[in-house]
Amino acid sequence: QVQLVGSGGGSVQTGGSLRLRCAPSGYTYSVYCLGWFRHTPGKQREGLAFIDSDGNTNYADSVKGRFAISHDNANNTLYLQMNSLKPEDTATYYCAAAHLTVCGGPYRDDPQNFGTWSQGIQVTVSS
């Protein structure tokens, strides 16, 4: 069964950093659109950062300049480096995979376009 395995969450204080990690289990992908999303109760799942197999990246305004998405092709692992964390970044984070064309389209931040998801990764930022 194709799945993504996420890790790296935790609790930090305002201004701290965390790095989330996501790797596939049971398969290797070479052509892809990968994204990081987060969800807080009462809100819709928010698309944060996206990277495709050509190395193109896109960010939501809420995290631009603070978060960085990257992919290690040798280890087939996706990362989200989160710096200057704020209490409003507290959420459950997910990585997800979609067809390459999703990243270049206008609806890349729509979770419905992503078919494979990791389990939730809790991130808590205290003030």
Side-chain angles (χ1 to χ4, degrees):
Q1 181 179 356
V2 172
Q3 62 179 350
L4 296 171
V5 180
S7 61
S11 298
V12 296
Q13 293 187 327
T14 297
S17 298
L18 284 172
R19 188 174 75 159
L20 304 184
R21 180 182 182 275
C22 174
S25 175
Y27 72 103
T28 299
Y29 45 77
S30 58
V31 178
Y32 54 79
C33 169
L34 301 173
W36 287 99
F37 293 77
R38 67 185 177 192
H39 180 251
T40 54
K43 295 184 179 181
Q44 291 185 334
R45 192 168 293 194
E46 178 188 11
L48 304 175
F50 305 90
I51 186 168
D52 66 21
S53 46
D54 294 327
N56 300 304
T57 59
N58 285 282
Y59 296 91
D61 289 342
S62 59
V63 303
K64 195 174 295 183
R66 299 189 299 123
F67 290 12
I69 189 171
S70 61
H71 186 265
D72 183 337
N73 292 329
N75 295 316
N76 207 19
T77 301
L78 178 70
Y79 298 96
L80 184 68
Q81 179 65 44
M82 305 186 295
N83 300 324
S84 302
L85 284 163
K86 307 173 183 180
E88 51 263 43
D89 294 317
T90 295
T92 302
Y93 286 69
Y94 302 84
C95 65
H99 189 272
L100 171 65
T101 56
V102 171
C103 271
Y107 303 109
R108 58 176 166 263
D109 57 349
D110 184 347
Q112 295 186 35
N113 289 322
F114 289 76
T116 304
W117 291 82
S118 69
Q119 85 287 7
I121 307 165
Q122 184 62 40
V123 171
T124 302
V125 184
S126 58
S127 57

